[in-house]
Amino acid sequence: QVNVVIRSSLQSLGEKIEQLRELLLRAVSTRQITQLEGDRRQNLVDELLTRHKQLEASYRNEGPEPDMTRSSLMAGGAKRGVTNPWLLEESEETRALGFDELRQQQRRIIEEQDAGLDALSSIISRQKQMGQEIGNELDEQNEIIDDLTNLVENTDDRLRTQTRHVKMVDKKSTSCG
């Protein structure tokens, strides 16, 4: 009876891993998650598939040292130098939380990040508006400077002309008297 339960559990595990793989492919193709995140999750699914195969081999008493394989499956694997992402040390903050509480905490963190991103977006929008206003003001100031330059040039031309007239009148007055 235990063998039947183990066999059906292994089969169910294989089916669930396959469903997980299909859902992951769908999530990547519909861009619900990024390609980088999809690759990371695909590596985790591949690790699950490998462990599933090891469990099946261990159940059938195949492969080298079945007892060693059984203990290593749950203790982080027999591979050297490869860390198991499932066995990372959990933080004190989340250690006592259940699944629903963890999900609520993740939602709260995501909401806080969204609020921060919204605030950042409004700050950037305000800076953009200020930049555009500064640009408009500079355009107006440049127009004023151009007008002043034209007026100064016109005044300078008239001043030179008047100075020539004065010199001519002065020259005529000295020649007459």
Side-chain angles (χ1 to χ4, degrees):
Q1 190 175 11
V2 171
N3 282 336
V4 171
V5 170
I6 291 173
R7 197 175 304 124
S8 68
S9 294
L10 282 173
Q11 183 178 1
S12 173
L13 177 62
E15 291 168 358
K16 288 181 180 181
I17 291 173
E18 183 59 29
Q19 287 174 350
L20 185 61
R21 189 179 67 77
E22 290 172 7
L23 288 171
L24 178 59
L25 289 174
R26 193 173 312 131
V28 169
S29 66
T30 59
R31 299 193 188 277
Q32 292 174 338
I33 59 174
T34 64
Q35 184 64 42
L36 185 63
E37 179 63 14
D39 291 344
R40 186 186 73 79
R41 291 182 186 186
Q42 182 61 48
N43 289 338
L44 294 174
V45 169
D46 290 343
E47 180 69 25
L48 277 175
L49 194 56
T50 301
R51 287 186 180 209
H52 176 255
K53 289 178 183 177
Q54 289 174 345
L55 277 172
E56 284 182 329
S58 177
Y59 172 71
R60 287 183 249 129
N61 287 326
E62 297 174 356
E65 303 176 39
D67 291 336
M68 169 72 171
T69 305
R70 285 183 187 151
S71 63
S72 69
L73 277 173
M74 297 304 155
K79 298 177 187 173
R80 290 191 176 110
V82 177
T83 59
N84 183 350
W86 301 106
L87 297 177
L88 295 176
E89 191 64 32
E90 188 172 1
S91 69
E92 292 291 328
E93 185 178 306
T94 60
R95 189 166 291 165
L97 300 178
F99 181 75
D100 290 333
E101 293 165 326
L102 280 173
R103 184 174 280 174
Q104 288 174 349
Q105 183 182 23
Q106 284 178 334
R107 283 188 184 130
R108 191 172 352 99
I109 290 170
I110 289 171
E111 287 171 0
E112 289 172 3
Q113 289 174 343
D114 286 346
L117 288 173
D118 289 342
L120 182 61
S121 174
S122 67
I123 289 170
I124 290 172
S125 295
R126 178 68 183 134
Q127 287 180 337
K128 177 184 175 187
Q129 181 183 4
M130 288 171 56
Q132 289 172 336
E133 290 174 6
I134 289 171
N136 293 339
E137 183 68 25
L138 284 174
D139 290 342
E140 289 177 20
Q141 294 291 329
N142 283 336
E143 287 179 24
I144 292 171
I145 289 173
D146 289 343
D147 290 345
L148 278 173
T149 301
N150 289 336
L151 287 173
V152 167
E153 287 174 358
N154 289 340
T155 304
D156 187 50
D157 288 343
R158 285 197 335 242
L159 186 63
R160 288 174 198 251
T161 304
Q162 291 302 322
T163 303
R164 267 188 269 127
H165 286 281
V166 168
K167 283 183 181 179
M168 196 181 303
V169 167
D170 185 43
K171 190 175 181 182
K172 285 182 182 180
S173 72
T174 54
S175 64
C176 288

